Amino acid sequence: MDFSTVELSAEDEAFRTEVREFLASIVTEDVIRRDRETGDNFDEGVHLALGSAGYLEKEWKTEADGGFSRVRRRIWELEKRRAEVPWVTWGTTSMVARSVAKFASPEIRDDVLRGVFDGSVRLCLGYTEPEGGSDVATCKTRAVRDGDQWVINGSKMFTTGAHNCQYVFLITNTDPDAPKHKSLTMFLVPLDADGIEIQGIRTVDGDRTNIVYYSDVRVDDKYRLGDVNGGWTVVREPLDAEHGAVAAADDGLADVAIMMHQAGFMAEAADNVAALVGSSGAVEDGSVAYRLGRSVARLEASLSSPSIFGRVALAQTMRDIAPDLMDIAGSVAALPIGADGGADDRSEYVYRFAPLVGIYGGTLEVFRNMIAQHVLGLGKPNYSAPKAKAS
Ligand SMILES: Cc1cc2nc3c(=O)[nH]c(=O)nc-3n(C[C@H](O)[C@H](O)[C@H](O)COP(=O)(O)OP(=O)(O)OC[C@H]3O[C@@H](n4cnc5c(N)ncnc54)[C@H](O)[C@@H]3O)c2cc1C
């Protein structure tokens, strides 16, 4: 790992200025307020502007393929966070687009990727079902072949961004009698197809996600990704990426773990609370200083934890320190961002956000099991009922 400071060239400095100014011009206060109100974590105007300026394509492509250089990619990512660009739907889109590039028929692939790059096509993830999401392969949504088409029936829970997307990357079951990993087929389903109903759900932190119902939805076979019953091969790669099971870059120009973006809110809340108690003098109280110091120490440790360990450490730390930060800030912390008389320290938001960060993309319990099994070699968890004690 290289910890040296990155010296920017004059061209990269100019790039940073250009990006900062561009983002400031499109992510206006109005965009941020609207995003807070809708919980969408997406703004079509911003997204289309990013697309037409070529930034979506440059971010998605590798340097060899015409994308950003390593340094510019890092600048771009950090500037996007600073500007608070709504990020959820581009996250799902760029992930699914990799599977489209690899597995879609040329006709679908070229069309979809063109739209992904100009911002007009957005893609969401249709994995989780109302009866469970941790075991993605246990899928009840059925797709049945009918000539050149498939008929899809079922429902998907938490399809975040579906109402702002054109396609859903859908896991279906095409052979209920087969072993579960050989029963799946992936489709890119157009969300304007007849029989699709999208209902909004608001989460405790104010985000909007959806439940999506599929009733006799007809999809042409050209929208299938990969082989029939070969869906596990298609879905494994994006799942690994979402789980952070991808090795961290060793040049220091990338996050050491996934969910660093979410952790940024926790870091900001800690800074804000420190400023608040510093200016009010409350930090002179030893217990305030102790609890603040303990929170900051835990925060820093979590920000430095790499890979899958970082994924767990960030989400767990967020849960652990948010109540302390709210307590330290005092009663003003109970007021939401933007409320009259509030401190806008964000600890209250982080408190509500923290549980979700430990659920989506895989729960903390599941990640801990993965570490136990694959890193510590403790073997597969045994979920069978405990044996009755001999009396
Ligand atoms: C805000 C938000 C956005 C989301 N967005 C999307 C999205 O866009 N697309 C999508 O498909 N899904 C999405 N999800 C769903 C998310 O991926 C699932 O919630 C998650 O995988 C857990 O599944 P579940 O909620 O069905 O819980 P379950 O799988 O039913 O688990 C219930 C409980 O059992 C525990 N558990 C389950 N299996 C194990 C195990 N093997 N070992 C130990 N403990 C276990 C879990 O930790 C949890 O506490 C989103 C969820 C949230 C909250």
Side-chain angles (χ1 to χ4, degrees):
M1 184 73 73
D2 180 359
F3 287 105
S4 55
T5 311
V6 176
E7 295 289 343
L8 294 185
S9 66
E11 292 78 18
D12 287 338
E13 287 269 15
F15 171 76
R16 183 168 64 177
T17 307
E18 173 196 311
V19 161
R20 196 170 282 183
E21 287 173 3
F22 177 70
L23 293 177
S25 74
I26 59 170
V27 187
T28 58
E29 274 182 23
D30 219 31
V31 166
I32 291 177
R33 181 191 43 76
R34 206 168 45 238
D35 203 49
R36 204 171 286 143
E37 283 167 9
T38 61
D40 270 0
N41 222 325
F42 171 78
D43 183 281
E44 189 167 40
V46 169
H47 195 72
L48 291 172
L50 294 174
S52 63
Y55 288 124
L56 298 180
E57 185 168 0
K58 285 217 176 264
E59 179 181 326
W60 193 82
K61 288 186 168 172
T62 61
E63 187 173 358
D65 203 18
F68 288 134
S69 68
R70 297 282 302 152
V71 169
R72 289 194 181 190
R73 180 172 301 280
R74 190 60 179 161
I75 293 172
W76 171 245
E77 281 164 2
L78 294 177
E79 290 301 325
K80 273 203 312 179
R81 281 179 204 169
R82 278 196 191 108
E84 300 190 26
V85 176
W87 46 276
V88 155
T89 296
W90 173 242
T92 56
T93 300
S94 60
M95 215 182 320
V96 176
R98 303 216 178 275
S99 303
V100 171
K102 203 161 166 184
F103 294 102
S105 59
E107 171 191 9
I108 298 295
R109 183 191 62 208
D110 297 345
D111 214 35
V112 168
L113 288 183
R114 201 175 311 115
V116 164
F117 296 151
D118 71 21
S120 61
V121 169
R122 279 92 57 181
L123 314 167
C124 56
L125 303 172
Y127 302 157
T128 306
E129 300 200 343
E131 285 177 40
S134 295
D135 187 359
V136 169
T138 310
C139 165
K140 293 209 167 76
T141 295
R142 285 279 279 133
V144 177
R145 193 158 200 154
D146 182 19
D148 269 354
Q149 289 193 315
W150 292 83
V151 182
I152 299 176
N153 278 288
S155 52
K156 293 284 175 179
M157 190 65 177
F158 298 127
T159 310
T160 307
H163 58 303
N164 291 314
C165 290
Q166 283 61 45
Y167 297 93
V168 54
F169 183 54
L170 194 76
I171 304 187
T172 66
N173 186 317
T174 38
D175 188 353
D177 298 326
K180 62 183 178 181
H181 291 98
K182 293 184 176 158
S183 67
L184 308 171
T185 304
M186 295 301 301
F187 291 92
L188 198 64
V189 177
L191 279 161
D192 60 358
D194 286 343
I196 293 185
E197 189 191 333
I198 300 172
Q199 285 181 11
I201 298 170
R202 291 296 280 253
T203 55
V204 68
D205 73 320
D207 276 347
R208 153 109 192 224
T209 179
N210 302 286
I211 181 163
V212 183
Y213 297 97
Y214 300 82
S215 309
D216 289 331
V217 176
R218 289 193 162 266
V219 178
D220 291 341
D221 188 52
K222 67 181 180 187
Y223 287 108
R224 176 165 48 83
L225 301 177
D227 294 336
V228 175
N229 297 332
W232 190 243
T233 310
V234 181
V235 79
R236 227 176 31 199
E237 235 173 84
L239 271 183
D240 281 351
E242 200 181 1
H243 289 165
V246 180
D250 62 6
D251 61 5
L253 288 171
D255 291 339
V256 296
I258 55 164
M259 302 254 179
M260 208 48 103
H261 182 87
Q262 287 85 330
F265 295 108
M266 157 169 71
E268 198 191 334
D271 283 350
N272 290 342
V273 170
L276 197 65
V277 295
S279 62
S280 71
V283 77
E284 300 303 328
D285 179 325
S287 65
V288 170
Y290 173 76
R291 290 175 78 189
L292 183 61
R294 184 177 61 183
S295 297
V296 171
R298 294 200 60 176
L299 164 70
E300 291 298 336
S302 73
L303 293 175
S304 311
S305 304
S307 176
I308 189 171
F309 314 102
R311 164 73 179 85
V312 172
L314 294 170
Q316 185 64 52
T317 303
M318 210 183 245
R319 289 180 181 188
D320 292 344
I321 74 170
D324 262 353
L325 293 176
M326 275 189 81
D327 255 8
I328 296 165
S331 51
V332 284
L335 294 171
I337 300 165
D340 284 347
D344 281 353
D345 59 285
R346 297 202 169 194
S347 57
E348 184 266 352
Y349 170 68
V350 170
Y351 180 72
R352 287 183 289 119
F353 188 38
L356 279 72
V357 176
I359 295 175
Y360 59 59
T363 68
L364 286 183
E365 291 78 12
V366 168
F367 275 107
R368 288 198 164 101
N369 272 351
M370 282 160 70
I371 291 172
Q373 193 180 334
H374 302 298
V375 183
L376 303 176
L378 296 179
K380 258 192 158 175
N382 179 359
Y383 294 115
S384 55
K387 285 196 183 107
K389 277 192 185 147
S391 52

